Amino acid sequence: MNTILKWAGNKSRLMPELRAHLPAGDRLVEPFAGSCAVMMNVDYTAYLVADVNPDLINMYRQIKEHTRPFIVQAASLFNLNKTEERYYRVREAFNNDHTLPLLERAAHFLYLNRHGYRGLCRYNRRGRFNIPYGNYSEPYFPLEEIEAFSLKALRATFICADFRETLSLVKSGDVVYCDPPYDGTFSDYHCAGFGKDEQHNLACELLGVAEHCPVIVSNSDTLFTRSIYREFDITSVSAARSVGVAAGKSKQASEIIAVYRPLAESARKAS
């Protein structure tokens, strides 16, 4: 299943490997929403999807609650704003028009993602979206992906929250999947950044949660990530690092899938 957004670190291509590590459960909890590739490619009864980016969460909520109006707004932007000059006008309104209704802001966010350079999502320290024009000949309007998402989203709750708040909501029967900004790769995803201190804090929080429910984490394959997830079972995989642009072949990089299962840990201790 393809995703609505272009996204750095999109997990669509890694789903065969990830599915092998995602156990059955009542609800999938994702503290780092990203493109929602995992939610769209697995089948749980319910989903709790969170992110610190309010624009990302707002778009998902608008699609869930106002699917048709969102499609109309977004399609209009795609049809009327095909030049570089128009792109920067939309970006300017997105950054400066504080009266922009939430539905229109969500449509602007999709437009900027699909028309911006390499589909990247980046803000400066003042919270202004600053990706330059991508110069695509015909940006793709993800109508089928929006419609599929709107149906799946009926089983999902979307919250704007950091990983600590999200993990505090985990309960028995949940499965936690974390796809944080990668160590040394995508650490400036949002205006607050996500450095090594946050990476370490996340690993510590997940160890506590992992005593009660399965936890699966993706990250760069580095000495640092292998150290902070040393209590987890680690599998190394190869993944594409490019973000949907006609600029040469995709580059491959090593990632880890770190897994902690409470029942497996209990069995190891008992033996």
Side-chain angles (χ1 to χ4, degrees):
M1 177 68 69
N2 292 326
T3 56
I4 296 170
L5 299 171
K6 296 180 181 181
W7 205 256
N10 187 313
K11 289 297 176 289
S12 294
R13 295 179 185 176
L14 271 183
M15 285 312 303
E17 289 87 352
L18 278 175
R19 281 197 198 95
H21 297 284
L22 288 165
D26 299 327
R27 180 177 69 162
L28 180 68
V29 177
E30 292 192 72
F32 303 90
S35 66
C36 280
V38 175
M39 184 190 90
M40 293 304 299
N41 285 281
V42 295
D43 189 21
Y44 288 85
T45 303
Y47 306 87
L48 174 61
V49 180
D51 204 275
V52 294
N53 185 339
D55 294 317
L56 183 66
I57 294 300
N58 175 57
M59 189 194 73
Y60 290 147
R61 286 175 174 168
Q62 296 301 320
I63 293 172
K64 175 183 177 179
E65 297 167 11
H66 309 289
T67 309
R68 286 298 146 193
F70 173 83
I71 289 172
V72 171
Q73 286 279 352
S76 177
L77 280 175
F78 275 61
N79 291 333
L80 297 176
N81 299 277
K82 294 180 177 292
T83 66
E84 181 174 0
E85 179 185 5
R86 291 276 189 167
Y87 172 83
Y88 286 110
R89 286 185 187 178
V90 173
R91 197 182 77 170
E92 185 71 13
F94 183 78
N95 282 327
N96 294 315
D97 188 352
H98 303 298
T99 66
L100 205 63
L102 291 177
L103 181 65
E104 291 183 31
R105 186 168 182 83
H108 279 53
F109 184 72
L110 174 61
Y111 170 89
L112 293 172
N113 173 265
R114 284 286 172 177
H115 290 74
Y117 180 72
R118 292 193 136 187
L120 293 173
C121 182
R122 186 185 65 206
Y123 299 77
N124 63 24
R125 290 295 186 255
R126 293 181 295 156
R128 293 170 60 86
F129 188 89
N130 63 1
I131 297 299
Y133 181 60
N135 199 30
Y136 296 97
S137 59
E138 193 62 40
Y140 175 66
F141 183 67
L143 176 60
E144 291 183 9
E145 290 81 359
I146 293 169
E147 291 175 334
F149 181 91
S150 69
L151 295 175
K152 195 70 169 283
L154 295 175
R155 289 187 267 159
T157 300
F158 300 98
I159 62 172
C160 186
D162 74 1
F163 66 83
R164 298 170 187 83
E165 182 180 347
T166 307
L167 293 175
S168 72
L169 301 175
V170 170
K171 57 188 180 183
S172 177
D174 286 345
V175 174
V176 176
Y177 173 67
C178 278
D179 185 24
Y182 276 16
D183 175 44
T185 306
F186 303 126
S187 59
D188 288 332
Y189 153 66
H190 202 248
C191 47
F194 202 89
K196 290 194 183 302
D197 286 345
E198 288 291 81
Q199 296 280 1
H200 185 267
N201 292 338
L202 172 63
C204 292
E205 291 277 345
L206 290 174
L207 268 178
V209 171
E211 293 296 329
H212 310 290
C213 66
V215 171
I216 301 89
V217 188
S218 295
N219 213 313
S220 300
D221 190 351
T222 64
L223 290 175
F224 176 71
T225 58
R226 284 181 173 269
S227 174
I228 61 176
Y229 290 110
R230 59 187 175 275
E231 300 294 329
F232 290 58
D233 293 325
I234 294 177
T235 301
S236 183
V237 296
S238 182
R241 274 284 205 268
S242 67
V243 190
V245 67
K249 294 182 179 179
S250 300
K251 295 181 179 180
Q252 297 291 314
S254 293
E255 300 184 4
I256 61 168
I257 300 174
V259 180
Y260 195 111
R261 296 186 179 90
L263 294 179
E265 181 64 12
S266 298
R268 281 199 294 270
K269 290 180 179 178
S271 61

